[in-house]
Amino acid sequence: MSNLSGFTKEVAMKILPLSIFSVTLLAGAMASAAADLPINKGLVAAGRLPADLLDSFGETFGSGSGMSVIDWKKTDRGYEGSFLLLPDRGYNVEGTTDYRTRVNRLSIAFAAPEAGKAAVAELKLESTVLLTDKSGKPMSGLDPVAVNRDNGADLPGAATGAVSLDPEAIVRLPDGSLMISDEYGPAVYHFTADGKLVSATLPPPALLPMRKGAINFSSNNPGVGAPKPDPEDPETGRQNNQGFEGMAFNPATRELTVVLQSATRQDGGDKKTTRFNTRALVYDAADPDALNLKAEYVVPLPTFKDGEGKTLVAAQSELAVLPDGRLLLLSRDSNNGWGVKGDTSLYRRVDLLDLAGATNIAGTEFDGGKPVAPKGVLDPSVTPATLATVVDMNDNAELNKAGLHNGAPHDASDLSEKWEAMGVVPALDPEHPNDVLLLIANDNDFMTTKGHQVGADYKADADVDTMVLVYRLSLD
């Protein structure tokens, strides 16, 4: 069993080293989002945990669907700190399982890198805490088959009676409590520091998955013996497995921003080639149990060409906030990297997301029955946000500093497919006070040849380690 009391005590503490970072956010909140792009100073550290690692409950460790930094400091050797890493709904091959959703606490330490090399980051799993509903019942990774009405809202419900949760992003608030975004709803959940549900917030009707005129939270991944949804895809609302993938909190403005992984069904999300007009929702989170939607914007996801010249859309995977209040958006392709068939990723980048000139569609007819981008064509009355690349994660010149690469040879040094977690911390460099470190973690999908979960052993096709990459950015 994990040390829950220790976890709670540590997580509930206010962030001391990061308090200076929050003050910087406050001072920078008035800076224009259209300021110069952050300068990428390159990869400075990389570390990994083995794929067969077991968490505090004796089950296979799942890595980074989301990340939130707890503390950070500079040492004589380099840097050290701790952070929360959020796994998603468990190991899935043929449908979902009754995996108890959870949060892991890790430590990280690395020395100042030598010129032309990235330092080796030492990662260590410290503790694990389960996520439960208001009654203390663990939440489940099972695909929803019903509506759970036991927790003050109409939430995705498993066949077991538990709340179904597919967690994708995490924010640790100043009081130590946790905000976690979910794909099934999509929804935003507020938990205590020790993982107990306090409240849940659902988005406007336009984002809720509807089948035959009724809300249906299924993602078409039924567990063993569970029924398949009819139809398989929602008719409107978020597409299957395309919920609130990214989330970030600005402590200066108390704004919580969540981004749908790709466009709603009615906005072109029914096809992979037209799903690029997704949405970012900005909530006033002064009261995390009464989130108030203050803005909503269309975000044009990046597109790229595959080997046959076909235009594809890079689904967004995470959101992070910079000290000046601007946002970073991580987007990537699929089915390329260690652990899956393809060896070479075509798109895996961190972009600056600028919402400043975009049209606020919150509370308009686009939140109801009117599509904002039917068949992927944006309504002419709406100005979208803009994106500009800051970090190209597929840059082999940088990856080689850590003995990594993108593409052949297809081995454990080839970056894995899914990179879905980000955290930003100050570089704490007096000579460069506006430099920050960007931590990016992968989601290994619990892939190991020595797996154990929900009381049973399993064997995946490959061992995909948990990895963290650290880049240095300058905001000068």
Side-chain angles (χ1 to χ4, degrees):
M1 295 291 289
S2 67
N3 184 358
L4 296 184
S5 60
F7 182 96
T8 303
K9 179 179 178 182
E10 291 294 325
V11 173
M13 291 178 64
K14 291 187 176 180
I15 305 174
L16 298 179
L18 290 185
S19 61
I20 298 175
F21 190 45
S22 298
V23 172
T24 306
L25 273 165
L26 180 60
M30 298 178 65
S32 169
D36 291 342
L37 279 176
I39 299 169
N40 178 14
K41 291 186 174 181
L43 185 68
V44 296
R48 64 172 73 210
L49 290 169
D52 61 357
L53 176 69
L54 300 180
D55 65 19
S56 301
F57 290 93
E59 296 186 291
T60 295
F61 178 82
S63 43
S65 278
M67 177 193 297
S68 186
V69 179
I70 299 174
D71 54 52
W72 192 255
K73 66 180 180 180
K74 198 167 186 179
T75 66
D76 293 339
R77 176 173 173 264
Y79 295 94
E80 66 180 43
S82 58
F83 59 97
L84 302 178
L85 204 59
L86 179 73
D88 56 20
R89 63 186 178 184
Y91 180 67
N92 307 146
V93 176
E94 297 179 3
T96 51
T97 63
D98 193 16
Y99 175 73
R100 297 175 298 172
T101 52
R102 61 200 68 184
V103 178
N104 294 299
R105 175 175 174 147
L106 286 80
S107 63
I108 184 172
F110 56 89
E114 300 177 19
K117 294 183 179 181
V120 176
E122 300 169 0
L123 302 176
K124 182 181 179 181
L125 173 62
E126 301 289 349
S127 57
T128 309
V129 63
L130 294 179
L131 298 173
T132 71
D133 68 8
K134 291 183 177 182
S135 71
K137 183 174 184 177
M139 291 187 169
S140 172
L142 282 169
D143 195 39
V145 296
V147 175
N148 182 300
R149 295 186 170 90
D150 298 333
N151 289 273
D154 288 349
L155 302 178
T160 60
V163 174
S164 291
L165 177 65
D166 186 359
E168 293 296 343
I170 183 169
V171 162
R172 180 184 180 276
L173 296 177
D175 66 356
S177 64
L178 310 173
M179 304 298 291
I180 292 179
S181 71
D182 146 80
E183 279 205 316
Y184 284 143
V188 178
Y189 292 89
H190 182 210
F191 292 91
T192 61
D194 56 0
K196 190 171 184 178
L197 179 65
V198 181
S199 65
T201 300
L202 292 172
L207 280 67
L208 294 174
M210 304 294 291
R211 291 177 171 91
K212 297 182 177 179
I215 192 167
N216 186 314
F217 293 114
S218 173
S219 67
N220 192 30
N221 286 276
V224 177
K228 290 181 69 68
D230 180 25
E232 293 185 354
D233 297 305
E235 291 155 329
T236 60
R238 63 106 180 104
Q239 173 61 302
N240 293 331
N241 298 312
Q242 299 287 302
F244 284 150
E245 189 78 18
M247 180 171 64
F249 177 70
N250 186 332
T253 61
R254 304 289 296 184
E255 290 179 342
L256 184 78
T257 303
V258 291
V259 184
L260 207 62
Q261 187 167 20
S262 65
T264 63
R265 293 278 299 177
Q266 67 270 24
D267 293 335
D270 57 335
K271 295 182 180 180
K272 290 186 177 181
T273 56
T274 60
R275 64 180 186 174
F276 41 79
N277 285 305
T278 192
R279 304 192 193 196
L281 281 64
V282 182
Y283 289 97
D284 178 349
D287 181 351
D289 299 318
L291 297 182
N292 177 39
L293 182 62
K294 60 186 295 187
E296 182 180 346
Y297 306 102
V298 172
V299 176
L301 294 175
T303 59
F304 61 95
K305 299 284 188 179
D306 66 8
E308 300 176 352
K310 185 178 181 181
T311 299
L312 300 177
V313 179
Q316 72 83 19
S317 289
E318 185 57 296
L319 194 68
V321 65
L322 290 168
D324 56 16
R326 293 180 296 168
L327 296 166
L328 295 177
L329 187 75
L330 171 61
S331 304
R332 60 173 179 81
D333 61 358
S334 300
N335 301 314
N336 294 308
W338 178 239
V340 294
K341 184 177 181 179
D343 59 18
T344 307
S345 169
L346 301 176
Y347 194 100
R348 195 188 276 135
R349 298 185 184 183
V350 178
D351 294 318
L352 185 72
L353 172 61
D354 187 353
L355 303 174
T359 303
N360 183 359
I361 63 171
T364 68
E365 55 191 343
F366 300 125
D367 269 345
K370 183 178 180 179
V372 73
K375 297 183 179 180
V377 180
L378 186 61
D379 190 289
S381 68
V382 176
T383 300
T386 59
L387 296 173
T389 296
V390 176
V391 176
D392 182 355
M393 295 181 63
N394 290 339
D395 182 351
N396 274 316
E398 292 299 323
L399 294 176
N400 291 167
K401 293 179 180 178
L404 303 170
H405 58 269
N406 172 47
H410 199 33
D411 57 23
S413 294
D414 183 12
L415 285 194
S416 62
E417 174 195 16
K418 297 182 178 180
W419 290 79
E420 299 189 350
M422 291 196 296
V424 178
V425 294
L428 302 174
D429 183 349
E431 296 184 5
H432 302 280
N434 292 326
D435 281 14
V436 298
L437 300 177
L438 172 64
L439 284 66
I440 310 177
N442 67 334
D443 174 9
N444 71 350
D445 270 347
F446 304 87
M447 293 180 65
T448 174
T449 56
K450 301 176 182 178
H452 180 80
Q453 204 166 92
V454 196
D457 293 336
Y458 68 88
K459 183 177 181 179
D461 293 334
D463 287 301
V464 179
D465 292 344
T466 295
M467 294 190 65
V468 175
L469 304 180
V470 184
Y471 291 86
R472 182 158 176 161
L473 308 180
S474 174
L475 306 185
D476 285 333

